[in-house]
Amino acid sequence: MKRILASASLAAVLAAAGVSEANAWVRTGTVTTRRGTYYGSASGGCAGGTCSRSTSVTGPNGGTVSRTGSITRVGPHAYDYTRTTTGPYGNSVTRSGTVVAYPFYGYRY
């Protein structure tokens, strides 16, 4: 399951990397549930061979969860990534590594 999620995440990042450089975007929104209103924001962009994204969600009690991350192409099929997730109490988890993705040219039997 982790491999599928990693592949889907990589595909999304690679699609975003194909967009012209210095391309920036911002999104905001709110959702109201029985528990209260949640406010979310996200921003990202690509420049100098690196794509980055930052998101945060603030709950009805004021707690905020945020995630920042970036990915950089370091070779023909290799990408370095890093991301940091911070919880509502200030605890953080950072993950980083290298992903190697070879092109898929059709079905192999």
Side-chain angles (χ1 to χ4, degrees):
M1 183 67 174
K2 286 184 179 182
R3 180 173 281 174
I4 292 170
L5 291 175
S7 297
S9 297
L10 179 61
V13 170
L14 293 178
V19 178
S20 65
E21 293 197 353
N23 185 2
W25 54 271
V26 176
R27 303 285 186 271
T28 61
T30 59
V31 173
T32 301
T33 68
R34 288 182 286 156
R35 295 183 180 211
T37 300
Y38 295 80
Y39 172 79
S41 66
S43 62
C46 297
T50 299
C51 291
S52 61
R53 181 178 76 156
S54 177
T55 62
S56 68
V57 175
T58 301
N61 296 327
T64 300
V65 175
S66 62
R67 176 179 278 181
T68 59
S70 64
I71 188 163
T72 303
R73 185 175 180 180
V74 294
H77 302 287
Y79 301 85
D80 283 345
Y81 71 91
T82 185
R83 74 171 183 252
T84 301
T85 304
T86 304
Y89 303 110
N91 298 329
S92 295
V93 174
T94 299
R95 300 202 187 281
S96 61
T98 300
V99 175
V100 178
Y102 294 100
F104 180 68
Y105 295 112
Y107 293 102
R108 294 185 185 132
Y109 294 101

Coordinates of all heavy atoms in Angstrom, one line a residue:
M1 N 0.8 -1.2 0.0 CA 0.0 0.0 0.0 C 0.9 1.3 0.0 O 0.6 2.2 -0.7 CB -0.9 0.0 1.2 CG -1.9 1.1 1.3 SD -3.0 0.9 -0.1 CE -4.1 2.3 0.3
K2 N 2.0 1.2 0.8 CA 2.9 2.4 0.8 C 3.5 2.6 -0.6 O 3.6 3.8 -1.0 CB 4.0 2.2 1.8 CG 3.5 2.3 3.2 CD 4.7 2.2 4.2 CE 4.3 2.4 5.6 NZ 5.4 2.4 6.5
R3 N 3.8 1.5 -1.3 CA 4.4 1.7 -2.6 C 3.4 2.3 -3.6 O 3.7 3.2 -4.4 CB 4.8 0.3 -3.1 CG 5.4 0.4 -4.5 CD 6.0 -0.9 -4.9 NE 7.2 -1.1 -4.2 CZ 7.9 -2.2 -4.3 NH1 7.5 -3.2 -4.9 NH2 9.1 -2.3 -3.6
I4 N 2.1 2.0 -3.5 CA 1.1 2.6 -4.3 C 0.9 4.1 -4.0 O 0.9 4.9 -4.9 CB -0.3 1.9 -4.2 CG1 -0.2 0.5 -4.7 CG2 -1.4 2.6 -4.9 CD1 -1.4 -0.4 -4.4
L5 N 0.9 4.4 -2.7 CA 0.8 5.8 -2.3 C 2.0 6.6 -2.8 O 1.9 7.7 -3.2 CB 0.6 6.0 -0.8 CG -0.8 5.5 -0.3 CD1 -0.8 5.5 1.2 CD2 -1.9 6.3 -0.9
A6 N 3.2 6.0 -2.6 CA 4.4 6.7 -3.0 C 4.4 6.9 -4.5 O 4.8 8.0 -5.0 CB 5.6 5.9 -2.6
S7 N 3.9 5.9 -5.3 CA 3.9 6.0 -6.7 C 2.9 7.1 -7.2 O 3.2 7.9 -8.1 CB 3.5 4.7 -7.4 OG 4.5 3.7 -7.1
A8 N 1.8 7.2 -6.5 CA 0.8 8.2 -6.8 C 1.3 9.6 -6.5 O 1.1 10.5 -7.3 CB -0.5 7.9 -6.1
S9 N 1.9 9.7 -5.3 CA 2.5 11.0 -4.9 C 3.6 11.4 -5.9 O 3.7 12.6 -6.3 CB 3.1 10.9 -3.5 OG 2.1 10.6 -2.6
L10 N 4.4 10.5 -6.3 CA 5.5 10.8 -7.3 C 4.9 11.2 -8.6 O 5.4 12.2 -9.2 CB 6.5 9.6 -7.4 CG 7.6 9.9 -8.4 CD1 8.5 11.0 -8.0 CD2 8.4 8.6 -8.6
A11 N 3.9 10.5 -9.1 CA 3.3 10.9 -10.3 C 2.7 12.3 -10.3 O 2.8 13.1 -11.2 CB 2.2 9.9 -10.7
A12 N 2.1 12.7 -9.2 CA 1.6 14.0 -9.0 C 2.7 15.1 -9.0 O 2.5 16.1 -9.7 CB 0.7 14.1 -7.7
V13 N 3.8 14.8 -8.4 CA 4.9 15.7 -8.3 C 5.5 15.8 -9.7 O 5.9 16.9 -10.1 CB 5.9 15.3 -7.2 CG1 7.2 16.1 -7.4 CG2 5.3 15.4 -5.9
L14 N 5.7 14.7 -10.4 CA 6.3 14.8 -11.7 C 5.4 15.5 -12.7 O 5.9 16.3 -13.5 CB 6.5 13.3 -12.2 CG 7.6 12.5 -11.5 CD1 7.7 11.1 -12.1 CD2 8.9 13.2 -11.5
A15 N 4.1 15.4 -12.5 CA 3.2 16.2 -13.4 C 3.3 17.7 -13.1 O 3.4 18.5 -14.0 CB 1.8 15.7 -13.2
A16 N 3.5 18.0 -11.8 CA 3.7 19.4 -11.4 C 5.0 19.9 -11.9 O 5.1 21.1 -12.3 CB 3.5 19.6 -9.9
A17 N 6.0 19.0 -11.9 CA 7.4 19.5 -12.3 C 7.4 19.8 -13.8 O 8.2 20.6 -14.3 CB 8.4 18.4 -12.0
G18 N 6.5 19.3 -14.6 CA 6.4 19.6 -16.0 C 5.9 20.9 -16.3 O 6.0 21.4 -17.4
V19 N 5.3 21.6 -15.3 CA 4.8 22.9 -15.5 C 5.9 23.9 -15.5 O 7.0 23.7 -14.9 CB 3.8 23.2 -14.3 CG1 3.2 24.6 -14.4 CG2 2.6 22.2 -14.3
S20 N 5.8 25.0 -16.2 CA 6.9 26.0 -16.3 C 7.4 26.4 -14.9 O 6.6 26.5 -14.0 CB 6.4 27.2 -17.1 OG 5.4 27.9 -16.4
E21 N 8.6 26.8 -14.9 CA 9.2 27.2 -13.6 C 8.7 28.5 -13.2 O 8.1 29.3 -14.0 CB 10.7 27.3 -13.8 CG 11.3 25.9 -14.0 CD 12.8 25.9 -13.7 OE1 13.4 26.9 -13.6 OE2 13.4 24.8 -13.7
A22 N 8.9 28.8 -11.9 CA 8.4 30.1 -11.3 C 6.9 30.1 -11.3 O 6.3 31.1 -11.2 CB 9.0 31.3 -11.9
N23 N 6.2 28.9 -11.4 CA 4.8 28.8 -11.4 C 4.3 28.7 -10.0 O 4.7 27.7 -9.3 CB 4.4 27.6 -12.3 CG 2.9 27.5 -12.4 OD1 2.2 28.3 -12.0 ND2 2.5 26.4 -13.1
A24 N 3.6 29.6 -9.5 CA 3.1 29.6 -8.1 C 1.6 29.5 -8.0 O 0.9 30.0 -8.9 CB 3.7 30.8 -7.3
W25 N 1.1 28.9 -6.9 CA -0.3 28.9 -6.7 C -0.7 28.9 -5.2 O 0.2 28.6 -4.4 CB -0.9 27.6 -7.4 CG -0.3 26.3 -6.9 CD1 0.8 25.7 -7.4 CD2 -0.6 25.5 -5.7 NE1 1.1 24.6 -6.7 CE2 0.3 24.5 -5.7 CE3 -1.6 25.6 -4.8 CZ2 0.2 23.5 -4.7 CZ3 -1.7 24.7 -3.8 CH2 -0.8 23.6 -3.8
V26 N -1.9 29.3 -4.9 CA -2.4 29.4 -3.6 C -3.8 29.0 -3.6 O -4.6 29.4 -4.5 CB -2.3 30.9 -3.0 CG1 -2.9 31.0 -1.6 CG2 -0.8 31.3 -3.0
R27 N -4.2 28.2 -2.6 CA -5.6 27.8 -2.4 C -6.0 27.9 -1.0 O -5.2 27.6 -0.1 CB -5.8 26.3 -2.8 CG -5.4 26.0 -4.2 CD -6.4 26.5 -5.3 NE -6.1 26.0 -6.6 CZ -5.3 26.6 -7.4 NH1 -4.7 27.7 -7.1 NH2 -5.0 26.2 -8.6
T28 N -7.2 28.4 -0.7 CA -7.8 28.5 0.6 C -9.2 28.0 0.6 O -9.9 28.0 -0.4 CB -7.7 29.9 1.2 OG1 -8.6 30.7 0.4 CG2 -6.3 30.4 1.3
G29 N -9.7 27.6 1.8 CA -11.1 27.1 1.9 C -11.5 26.8 3.3 O -10.6 26.7 4.2
T30 N -12.8 26.7 3.5 CA -13.3 26.3 4.8 C -14.3 25.1 4.6 O -14.9 25.0 3.6 CB -14.0 27.5 5.5 OG1 -15.1 27.9 4.7 CG2 -13.1 28.6 5.8
V31 N -14.4 24.4 5.7 CA -15.4 23.3 5.7 C -16.1 23.4 7.1 O -15.4 23.4 8.1 CB -14.8 21.9 5.5 CG1 -15.8 20.8 5.8 CG2 -14.1 21.8 4.2
T32 N -17.4 23.3 7.1 CA -18.2 23.3 8.3 C -18.8 22.0 8.6 O -19.5 21.5 7.7 CB -19.2 24.4 8.3 OG1 -18.6 25.7 8.1 CG2 -20.0 24.5 9.7
T33 N -18.5 21.4 9.7 CA -19.1 20.1 10.1 C -19.8 20.3 11.4 O -19.9 21.4 12.0 CB -18.0 19.1 10.3 OG1 -17.2 19.4 11.5 CG2 -17.1 19.0 9.1
R34 N -20.4 19.2 11.9 CA -21.0 19.2 13.3 C -20.1 19.6 14.4 O -20.5 20.1 15.4 CB -21.7 17.9 13.6 CG -22.9 17.6 12.7 CD -23.5 16.3 13.1 NE -22.6 15.2 12.6 CZ -22.6 14.0 13.1 NH1 -23.3 13.6 14.1 NH2 -21.8 13.1 12.6
R35 N -18.8 19.4 14.2 CA -17.8 19.7 15.2 C -17.3 21.1 15.1 O -16.6 21.6 16.0 CB -16.6 18.7 15.1 CG -17.0 17.3 15.3 CD -15.8 16.4 15.3 NE -16.2 15.1 15.6 CZ -15.4 14.2 16.1 NH1 -14.2 14.5 16.5 NH2 -15.8 13.0 16.4
G36 N -17.6 21.8 14.0 CA -17.1 23.2 13.9 C -16.6 23.5 12.5 O -16.7 22.7 11.6
T37 N -16.0 24.6 12.3 CA -15.4 25.0 11.1 C -13.9 24.8 11.0 O -13.2 25.2 11.9 CB -15.8 26.5 10.8 OG1 -17.2 26.7 10.8 CG2 -15.3 27.0 9.4
Y38 N -13.5 24.3 9.9 CA -12.1 24.0 9.7 C -11.6 24.9 8.5 O -12.3 25.0 7.5 CB -11.8 22.6 9.3 CG -12.1 21.6 10.4 CD1 -13.4 21.2 10.6 CD2 -11.1 21.1 11.2 CE1 -13.7 20.3 11.7 CE2 -11.4 20.2 12.2 CZ -12.7 19.8 12.5 OH -13.0 19.0 13.5
Y39 N -10.5 25.6 8.7 CA -9.9 26.5 7.7 C -8.6 25.8 7.1 O -7.8 25.4 7.9 CB -9.6 27.8 8.3 CG -8.8 28.7 7.3 CD1 -9.5 29.4 6.3 CD2 -7.5 28.9 7.4 CE1 -8.8 30.2 5.4 CE2 -6.8 29.7 6.6 CZ -7.5 30.3 5.5 OH -6.8 31.1 4.7
G40 N -8.5 25.7 5.8 CA -7.4 25.2 5.2 C -6.7 26.1 4.2 O -7.4 26.9 3.6
S41 N -5.4 26.0 4.0 CA -4.7 26.7 3.0 C -3.6 25.9 2.5 O -3.0 25.1 3.2 CB -4.2 28.1 3.5 OG -3.2 27.8 4.5
A42 N -3.3 26.1 1.2 CA -2.2 25.4 0.6 C -1.5 26.4 -0.4 O -2.2 27.2 -1.0 CB -2.7 24.2 -0.1
S43 N -0.2 26.2 -0.6 CA 0.5 27.0 -1.6 C 1.7 26.2 -2.1 O 2.1 25.3 -1.5 CB 1.0 28.4 -1.0 OG 1.9 28.1 0.0
G44 N 2.1 26.6 -3.3 CA 3.2 25.8 -3.9 C 3.7 26.5 -5.1 O 3.2 27.5 -5.6
G45 N 4.8 25.9 -5.6 CA 5.4 26.4 -6.9 C 6.7 25.7 -7.2 O 7.2 24.9 -6.4
C46 N 7.2 26.1 -8.4 CA 8.4 25.5 -8.9 C 9.4 26.6 -9.3 O 8.9 27.5 -9.9 CB 8.2 24.5 -10.0 SG 7.1 23.1 -9.6
A47 N 10.6 26.4 -9.0 CA 11.6 27.4 -9.4 C 13.0 26.7 -9.3 O 13.2 26.0 -8.3 CB 11.6 28.7 -8.6
G48 N 13.9 27.0 -10.2 CA 15.2 26.5 -10.1 C 15.4 25.0 -10.0 O 16.3 24.5 -9.4
G49 N 14.4 24.2 -10.6 CA 14.5 22.8 -10.5 C 13.9 22.1 -9.3 O 14.0 20.9 -9.1
T50 N 13.3 22.9 -8.4 CA 12.7 22.4 -7.2 C 11.3 22.8 -7.1 O 10.9 24.0 -7.4 CB 13.5 23.0 -5.9 OG1 14.8 22.5 -6.0 CG2 12.8 22.5 -4.6
C51 N 10.4 21.9 -6.8 CA 9.0 22.1 -6.6 C 8.7 22.0 -5.1 O 9.2 21.1 -4.4 CB 8.1 21.2 -7.4 SG 8.2 21.5 -9.1
S52 N 8.0 22.9 -4.5 CA 7.6 22.8 -3.1 C 6.2 23.1 -2.9 O 5.5 23.7 -3.7 CB 8.5 23.9 -2.3 OG 8.2 25.2 -2.8
R53 N 5.7 22.7 -1.7 CA 4.3 22.8 -1.3 C 4.2 23.0 0.2 O 5.0 22.4 0.9 CB 3.5 21.6 -1.8 CG 2.0 21.7 -1.5 CD 1.3 20.5 -2.0 NE 1.5 19.4 -1.1 CZ 0.7 18.3 -1.0 NH1 -0.4 18.3 -1.8 NH2 1.0 17.4 -0.2
S54 N 3.2 23.8 0.6 CA 3.0 24.0 2.0 C 1.5 24.0 2.3 O 0.7 24.6 1.5 CB 3.6 25.3 2.5 OG 3.3 25.6 3.8
T55 N 1.0 23.2 3.2 CA -0.4 23.2 3.6 C -0.6 23.3 5.1 O 0.3 23.0 5.9 CB -1.0 21.8 3.1 OG1 -0.4 20.8 3.8 CG2 -0.9 21.6 1.6
S56 N -1.8 23.8 5.4 CA -2.1 23.8 6.9 C -3.6 23.8 7.0 O -4.4 24.2 6.1 CB -1.6 25.1 7.5 OG -2.2 26.2 7.1
V57 N -4.1 23.2 8.1 CA -5.5 23.1 8.5 C -5.6 23.5 9.9 O -4.9 23.0 10.8 CB -6.0 21.7 8.3 CG1 -7.5 21.6 8.8 CG2 -5.9 21.3 6.8
T58 N -6.5 24.4 10.2 CA -6.8 24.9 11.5 C -8.2 24.4 11.9 O -9.1 24.7 11.2 CB -6.7 26.4 11.7 OG1 -5.3 26.8 11.3 CG2 -6.9 26.9 13.1
G59 N -8.3 23.8 13.0 CA -9.6 23.2 13.5 C -10.4 24.3 14.3 O -9.9 25.4 14.6
P60 N -11.6 23.9 14.7 CA -12.5 24.8 15.4 C -11.9 25.2 16.8 O -12.3 26.2 17.4 CB -13.8 24.0 15.6 CG -13.4 22.6 15.3 CD -12.2 22.6 14.4
N61 N -11.0 24.4 17.4 CA -10.4 24.7 18.7 C -9.1 25.4 18.6 O -8.4 25.7 19.6 CB -10.2 23.4 19.5 CG -11.5 22.7 19.8 OD1 -12.5 23.4 20.0 ND2 -11.5 21.4 19.8
G62 N -8.7 25.8 17.4 CA -7.5 26.6 17.2 C -6.3 25.8 16.9 O -5.2 26.4 16.6
G63 N -6.3 24.5 17.0 CA -5.2 23.7 16.7 C -4.9 23.6 15.2 O -5.8 23.5 14.4
T64 N -3.6 23.7 14.9 CA -3.2 23.7 13.5 C -2.2 22.6 13.2 O -1.3 22.3 13.9 CB -2.5 25.1 13.1 OG1 -3.4 26.1 13.3 CG2 -2.0 25.1 11.6
V65 N -2.5 21.9 12.0 CA -1.6 20.9 11.5 C -1.1 21.4 10.2 O -1.8 21.9 9.4 CB -2.4 19.5 11.3 CG1 -1.4 18.5 10.7 CG2 -2.9 19.0 12.6
S66 N 0.2 21.3 10.0 CA 0.8 21.8 8.8 C 1.8 20.8 8.2 O 2.4 20.0 8.9 CB 1.5 23.2 9.0 OG 2.6 23.0 10.0
R67 N 2.0 20.9 6.9 CA 3.0 20.1 6.2 C 3.7 20.9 5.2 O 3.1 21.6 4.4 CB 2.3 18.9 5.6 CG 3.4 18.1 4.7 CD 2.7 16.9 4.1 NE 2.6 15.8 5.1 CZ 2.1 14.6 4.9 NH1 1.6 14.3 3.7 NH2 2.1 13.7 5.8
T68 N 5.0 20.9 5.1 CA 5.8 21.5 4.1 C 6.7 20.4 3.4 O 7.1 19.5 4.1 CB 6.7 22.6 4.6 OG1 7.6 22.1 5.6 CG2 5.9 23.7 5.3
G69 N 6.9 20.6 2.1 CA 7.7 19.6 1.5 C 8.3 20.2 0.2 O 7.8 21.1 -0.4
S70 N 9.3 19.5 -0.3 CA 9.9 19.9 -1.6 C 10.5 18.6 -2.3 O 10.8 17.6 -1.6 CB 10.9 20.9 -1.5 OG 12.0 20.4 -0.7
I71 N 10.6 18.7 -3.6 CA 11.2 17.7 -4.4 C 12.1 18.3 -5.4 O 11.8 19.4 -6.0 CB 10.2 16.7 -5.0 CG1 10.9 15.5 -5.7 CG2 9.3 17.5 -6.0 CD1 9.9 14.4 -5.9
T72 N 13.3 17.7 -5.7 CA 14.3 18.2 -6.6 C 14.8 17.1 -7.5 O 15.1 16.0 -7.0 CB 15.5 18.8 -5.9 OG1 15.0 19.9 -5.0 CG2 16.5 19.4 -6.8
R73 N 14.8 17.4 -8.8 CA 15.4 16.4 -9.7 C 16.9 16.4 -9.6 O 17.5 17.4 -9.7 CB 15.0 16.7 -11.1 CG 15.4 15.6 -12.1 CD 14.9 15.9 -13.5 NE 15.3 14.9 -14.4 CZ 15.1 14.8 -15.6 NH1 14.3 15.8 -16.2 NH2 15.5 13.9 -16.4
V74 N 17.5 15.2 -9.3 CA 18.9 15.1 -9.1 C 19.6 14.2 -10.2 O 20.8 14.0 -10.2 CB 19.3 14.6 -7.7 CG1 18.9 15.6 -6.7 CG2 18.6 13.2 -7.4
G75 N 18.8 13.6 -11.1 CA 19.3 12.8 -12.1 C 18.3 12.5 -13.2 O 17.2 13.0 -13.0
P76 N 18.6 11.7 -14.2 CA 17.7 11.4 -15.2 C 16.3 10.9 -14.8 O 15.3 11.2 -15.3 CB 18.4 10.4 -16.1 CG 19.8 10.6 -15.8 CD 19.9 11.1 -14.4
H77 N 16.4 10.0 -13.8 CA 15.1 9.4 -13.2 C 15.1 9.4 -11.7 O 14.5 8.6 -11.1 CB 15.0 8.0 -13.7 CG 15.0 7.8 -15.2 ND1 13.9 8.2 -15.9 CD2 15.9 7.4 -16.1 CE1 14.2 8.0 -17.2 NE2 15.4 7.5 -17.3
A78 N 15.9 10.3 -11.1 CA 16.1 10.4 -9.6 C 15.6 11.7 -9.1 O 15.9 12.8 -9.6 CB 17.5 10.1 -9.3
Y79 N 15.0 11.6 -7.9 CA 14.4 12.8 -7.3 C 14.7 12.7 -5.8 O 14.5 11.7 -5.1 CB 12.9 12.9 -7.5 CG 12.6 13.0 -9.0 CD1 12.4 11.9 -9.7 CD2 12.4 14.2 -9.6 CE1 12.1 11.9 -11.1 CE2 12.1 14.3 -10.9 CZ 12.0 13.2 -11.7 OH 11.7 13.2 -13.0
D80 N 15.2 13.8 -5.2 CA 15.3 13.9 -3.7 C 14.1 14.6 -3.2 O 13.7 15.6 -3.8 CB 16.6 14.7 -3.3 CG 17.9 14.0 -3.5 OD1 17.8 12.7 -3.6 OD2 18.9 14.6 -3.5
Y81 N 13.6 14.2 -2.1 CA 12.4 14.8 -1.5 C 12.6 15.0 0.0 O 13.4 14.3 0.6 CB 11.1 14.0 -1.7 CG 11.1 12.7 -0.9 CD1 10.5 12.7 0.3 CD2 11.7 11.5 -1.4 CE1 10.5 11.5 1.0 CE2 11.6 10.4 -0.7 CZ 11.0 10.3 0.5 OH 11.0 9.2 1.3
T82 N 11.9 15.9 0.6 CA 11.8 16.1 2.0 C 10.5 16.7 2.4 O 9.9 17.4 1.6 CB 13.0 17.0 2.5 OG1 12.9 17.0 4.0 CG2 12.9 18.4 2.0
R83 N 9.9 16.3 3.5 CA 8.7 16.8 4.0 C 8.7 16.8 5.5 O 9.3 15.9 6.2 CB 7.5 16.1 3.5 CG 7.2 14.8 4.1 CD 5.9 14.2 3.6 NE 5.6 12.9 4.3 CZ 5.7 11.8 3.7 NH1 6.0 11.7 2.4 NH2 5.5 10.7 4.3
T84 N 8.1 17.9 6.1 CA 8.0 18.0 7.5 C 6.5 18.2 7.9 O 5.9 19.1 7.3 CB 8.8 19.2 8.1 OG1 10.2 18.9 7.7 CG2 8.7 19.3 9.6
T85 N 6.0 17.4 8.8 CA 4.6 17.5 9.3 C 4.7 18.0 10.7 O 5.4 17.4 11.5 CB 3.9 16.2 9.2 OG1 3.9 15.8 7.8 CG2 2.4 16.4 9.6
T86 N 4.0 19.0 11.1 CA 3.9 19.5 12.4 C 2.5 19.5 13.0 O 1.6 19.9 12.3 CB 4.4 21.0 12.5 OG1 5.7 21.1 11.9 CG2 4.4 21.5 13.9
G87 N 2.3 18.9 14.1 CA 1.0 18.7 14.7 C 0.6 19.9 15.5 O 1.3 20.9 15.7
P88 N -0.6 19.8 16.1 CA -1.2 20.9 16.8 C -0.5 21.3 18.1 O -0.6 22.4 18.6 CB -2.6 20.5 17.1 CG -2.6 19.0 17.0 CD -1.6 18.7 16.0
Y89 N 0.3 20.3 18.6 CA 1.1 20.6 19.9 C 2.6 20.9 19.6 O 3.3 20.9 20.6 CB 0.9 19.4 20.8 CG -0.5 19.1 21.1 CD1 -1.1 18.0 20.7 CD2 -1.3 20.0 21.9 CE1 -2.5 17.7 20.9 CE2 -2.6 19.8 22.2 CZ -3.2 18.6 21.7 OH -4.5 18.4 21.9
G90 N 2.9 21.1 18.4 CA 4.3 21.5 18.0 C 5.2 20.4 17.7 O 6.4 20.6 17.4
N91 N 4.8 19.1 17.8 CA 5.7 18.0 17.5 C 5.8 17.9 16.0 O 4.8 18.1 15.3 CB 5.1 16.7 18.1 CG 5.0 16.7 19.6 OD1 5.8 17.4 20.2 ND2 4.0 16.1 20.1
S92 N 7.0 17.6 15.5 CA 7.3 17.5 14.1 C 7.8 16.1 13.7 O 8.5 15.5 14.5 CB 8.3 18.6 13.7 OG 7.7 19.8 13.8
V93 N 7.6 15.7 12.5 CA 8.1 14.5 11.9 C 8.7 14.9 10.5 O 8.0 15.5 9.8 CB 7.1 13.4 11.7 CG1 7.7 12.2 11.0 CG2 6.6 13.0 13.1
T94 N 9.9 14.6 10.3 CA 10.6 14.9 9.0 C 10.9 13.6 8.3 O 11.5 12.7 8.9 CB 11.8 15.8 9.2 OG1 11.4 17.0 9.8 CG2 12.5 16.1 7.8
R95 N 10.6 13.6 7.0 CA 11.0 12.4 6.2 C 11.7 12.9 5.0 O 11.3 14.0 4.4 CB 9.7 11.6 5.8 CG 9.0 11.1 7.0 CD 8.1 9.9 6.5 NE 7.2 9.5 7.6 CZ 7.5 8.7 8.6 NH1 8.8 8.3 8.8 NH2 6.7 8.3 9.5
S96 N 12.7 12.2 4.5 CA 13.4 12.6 3.3 C 14.0 11.3 2.7 O 14.1 10.3 3.3 CB 14.5 13.6 3.6 OG 15.4 13.0 4.5
G97 N 14.4 11.5 1.4 CA 15.0 10.4 0.7 C 15.1 10.6 -0.8 O 14.9 11.8 -1.2
T98 N 15.4 9.6 -1.5 CA 15.6 9.7 -2.9 C 14.6 8.6 -3.6 O 14.6 7.5 -3.1 CB 17.0 9.4 -3.3 OG1 17.9 10.4 -2.7 CG2 17.2 9.4 -4.9
V99 N 14.0 9.0 -4.6 CA 13.1 8.1 -5.4 C 13.7 8.0 -6.8 O 14.0 9.0 -7.4 CB 11.6 8.7 -5.4 CG1 10.8 7.8 -6.3 CG2 11.1 8.8 -4.1
V100 N 13.8 6.8 -7.2 CA 14.2 6.5 -8.6 C 13.0 5.9 -9.3 O 12.4 4.9 -8.9 CB 15.4 5.5 -8.6 CG1 15.8 5.2 -10.1 CG2 16.6 6.1 -7.9
A101 N 12.6 6.6 -10.4 CA 11.4 6.2 -11.2 C 11.8 6.0 -12.7 O 12.2 7.0 -13.3 CB 10.4 7.2 -11.1
Y102 N 11.7 4.8 -13.1 CA 12.1 4.5 -14.5 C 10.8 4.7 -15.4 O 9.7 4.3 -14.9 CB 12.7 3.2 -14.7 CG 14.0 3.1 -14.0 CD1 14.1 2.5 -12.7 CD2 15.1 3.6 -14.6 CE1 15.4 2.4 -12.1 CE2 16.4 3.6 -13.9 CZ 16.5 3.0 -12.7 OH 17.7 3.0 -12.0
P103 N 10.9 5.2 -16.6 CA 9.8 5.3 -17.5 C 9.1 4.0 -17.8 O 9.8 3.0 -17.9 CB 10.3 6.0 -18.7 CG 11.8 5.8 -18.7 CD 12.2 5.6 -17.3
F104 N 7.8 4.0 -17.9 CA 7.0 2.9 -18.3 C 6.6 3.0 -19.7 O 5.9 3.9 -20.1 CB 5.8 2.8 -17.4 CG 4.9 1.6 -17.7 CD1 5.4 0.3 -17.4 CD2 3.7 1.7 -18.2 CE1 4.6 -0.8 -17.6 CE2 2.9 0.7 -18.4 CZ 3.3 -0.6 -18.2
Y105 N 7.1 2.0 -20.5 CA 6.8 2.1 -22.0 C 5.8 1.1 -22.4 O 5.7 0.7 -23.6 CB 8.1 1.9 -22.7 CG 9.1 2.9 -22.5 CD1 10.3 2.7 -21.8 CD2 8.9 4.2 -23.0 CE1 11.2 3.7 -21.6 CE2 9.8 5.3 -22.8 CZ 11.0 5.0 -22.1 OH 11.9 6.0 -21.9
G106 N 4.9 0.6 -21.6 CA 3.9 -0.3 -22.0 C 3.9 -1.6 -21.1 O 4.6 -1.7 -20.2
Y107 N 3.0 -2.5 -21.4 CA 2.9 -3.7 -20.6 C 4.0 -4.7 -20.9 O 4.5 -4.8 -22.0 CB 1.6 -4.4 -21.0 CG 0.4 -3.6 -20.6 CD1 -0.4 -2.9 -21.5 CD2 0.0 -3.6 -19.2 CE1 -1.5 -2.2 -21.1 CE2 -1.1 -2.8 -18.9 CZ -1.8 -2.1 -19.8 OH -2.9 -1.4 -19.4
R108 N 4.5 -5.3 -19.8 CA 5.5 -6.3 -19.9 C 4.9 -7.6 -19.5 O 4.4 -7.8 -18.4 CB 6.7 -5.9 -19.0 CG 7.3 -4.7 -19.4 CD 8.6 -4.4 -18.6 NE 9.1 -3.1 -19.0 CZ 9.4 -2.1 -18.1 NH1 9.3 -2.3 -16.9 NH2 9.8 -1.0 -18.6
Y109 N 5.0 -8.6 -20.4 CA 4.5 -9.9 -20.1 C 5.6 -10.9 -19.9 O 6.6 -10.9 -20.5 CB 3.6 -10.4 -21.3 CG 2.3 -9.5 -21.4 CD1 2.2 -8.5 -22.3 CD2 1.3 -9.7 -20.5 CE1 1.1 -7.8 -22.4 CE2 0.2 -8.9 -20.6 CZ 0.1 -7.9 -21.6 OH -1.0 -7.2 -21.7

